[in-house]
Amino acid sequence: MGILGQIIHNIKNMKKAKKLRSMGKDGLLALDDEEFYDAIESICEDAVYDINEVKLTKEQKIVYSLNKFESEVNNGGLCQFFVNSSSECTPYISEALAAVGAVELRVLFDNFINTNNIDVNDLSSFKISSIDEYKAQTERFDFDSFDDKFYEDKNIHQQIIDYSRKHIEQLIVE
């Protein structure tokens, strides 16, 4: 998606998030899990211009970070998460996993980070500009082992939903 496409996408998401916020807590909570997840994802996307913003609630950072993490890893694995712009969330992943109760996934993530001496605050070594560079990144560490165990864990998506329902008031603030 080009810059213009991204701008249009962001404007549409802002309008969608405003409409969803207007539903209020009760309206959002009445949605089924997948509609609720999509709604909260839109609201968090709209709230998070910069993950390090002081005005963000802790809950917004947690849900936004885990949405990005889950989406990227499910789409292409942990390596994809590290090389894409969503890697800005990496410093928050361990704490976010703990917050939603994803204890085993947190241990898996923390072990991967510690075993490979990855600085979650500096992922500049993961930046790429070509397919060949991406392929080289995938060979740096045993990403497949992490990814396989991540895919076995079927709970993270529901844990994000349950956490979001519990903390709805802190998520829908503007």
Side-chain angles (χ1 to χ4, degrees), residues 75-115:
N75 189 43
L78 185 61
C79 185
Q80 178 173 310
F81 175 71
F82 286 154
V83 302
N84 282 346
S85 61
S86 55
S87 66
E88 69 186 3
C89 299
T90 305
Y92 306 104
I93 297 301
S94 182
E95 179 185 338
L97 290 168
V100 301
V103 177
E104 290 177 24
L105 219 45
R106 181 186 191 191
V107 169
L108 177 67
F109 180 78
D110 288 348
N111 284 344
F112 186 89
I113 295 299
N114 293 332
T115 299

Side-chain angles (χ1 to χ4, degrees), residues 4 7 38 46 56 67-69 84 93 115 121 127 141 146 154 156 164 168 171 174:
L4 183 57
I7 291 170
D38 290 343
D46 181 53
L56 293 175
N67 282 342
K68 292 295 185 185
F69 178 68
N84 282 346
I93 297 301
T115 299
N121 296 300
K127 297 306 171 208
F141 306 112
F146 177 92
K154 304 292 185 206
I156 186 64
S164 297
I168 187 71
L171 293 172
E174 288 193 57

Side-chain angles (χ1 to χ4, degrees), residues 14 17-22 43 46-47 55-57 60 169-174:
M14 284 171 48
K18 184 176 181 177
K19 181 180 175 185
L20 290 165
R21 277 190 188 96
S22 73
I43 290 169
D46 181 53
K55 69 177 186 160
L56 293 175
T57 66
Q60 286 171 326
E169 290 180 11
Q170 294 82 16
L171 293 172
I172 61 174
V173 297
E174 288 193 57

